[in-house]
Amino acid sequence: MALARFGTDGVRGVANDELTAELALAIGRATARVLPAPAFLVGRDTRRSGPLLQAALSAGLATEGADVIDLGVLPTPGVATVAARRRLPGVVISASHNPFGDNGIKLFSSLGTKLPVALEADVEREIASILEDAERPPRRPTGYGVGRISADPGAADLYRDELVGATDGRTLEGLHVVVDCANGAASAIAPGVLAALGATVTSLHDAPDGTNINEKCGSTHPEELARTVAAAGADLGLALDGDADRVIAVDGEGRIVDGDRLLGLFALDMRQRGLLADDTVVITVMTNLGFHIAMRRAGVGVHQTPVGDRHVLAALDAHGWSLGGEQSGHIIFRDLATTGDGVLSGLLLLDLVVRAGPPLARLAAAVMDRLPQVLRNVAVADRDALTRAEPVWAAVRAVEAELGDRGRVLLRPSGTEALVRVMVEAETEQAALEAAERLVSIVVATLGVP
């Protein structure tokens, strides 16, 4: 059995193959040992494999003597919110924006934050120990010592109330929004929250059947949302992903507004209202160079971290800052949440539009000039070999010298898949494309194909 490895967003793999019930059981047991707590909150998205893996993981927690509170289908930020309010660690069964056949397990502390890397490493080591000693299991609790598994039907209401309260009493009346729920965990929550705040809501992809999560919909496929917004004459659209921890917007003309532009809008709005701590926003290395230029022009400081919202959160907490996020649409409002929350970000965007007056199209166009960016996901035989692949890095240095200060290159291994991500920004689309293809060829030649 493959050992569990925590990537940038937990353990992921093909459900019932790479991520099996046996492995989920071991993860549950290891988590209970490393994070001793009277109870654990467990939620999931809408994947067909979710109940199977949730049952196995819950059994692992309970066999070590921990109680389990089953939250059912709930967005990742919903589980994080409940964890923070109840001061209990949480577990989410989800593979976020991945296809339905994948699944994942991610862990949250009793503060509602993702576990530090060092603690995840402790869990990994404990999993390995459990799997190695499978035929000689240690004595387990019996009788009253066995953990109980029970449901908490009120968790979703707690999360809804937190969302509705985020606008400080302001309403979204007068706005027509189309929300694409990705047939995921927010399908039963997002439309109702926006409607409760006064918006006119049209819902897309809000009927999950276990297999249609993220299928040609949601934040990774906003094309239908864009068409629907334009056809309906709506003010804007919101595209969530399967576990609703990210959002991408569409303006009233059907144009995509990605996480960089959203983060820029929020940064300038919060700065104007005196809510942007230290006039600084946290981003990752994937953020477009145009964002840096725009924030510098506006007098907003920019702090850059590696990819992953855990790194964004760590920087926010270390410095007492209030806003950070990623190009993918993970946005953290630290005064309101402990992790990226697509529904929260979406409703705060609507609130911003209501207060600002101009339509989203005009606001988004004014916030920054985006440099052409090309991203290639390259399947390779060994992603970990990238760090020592000198021919690749020699090519990177050559491209960077050609681009100068009006472009940049980023190569990194995926934290969850057998991929190397190649990103190039340049003054023109053609220059970015040509440079990216050169680098892709060298990556494949050096690292091999699966």
Side-chain angles (χ1 to χ4, degrees), residues 213-233:
I213 185 171
N214 299 319
E215 185 179 4
K216 298 180 180 178
C217 60
S219 61
T220 54
H221 296 282
E223 298 83 12
E224 183 179 350
L225 174 65
R227 292 192 297 269
T228 303
V229 168

Side-chain angles (χ1 to χ4, degrees), residues 23-36:
L23 182 53
L25 180 76
I27 292 173
R29 293 182 61 196
T31 300
R33 293 180 184 181
V34 174
L35 298 175

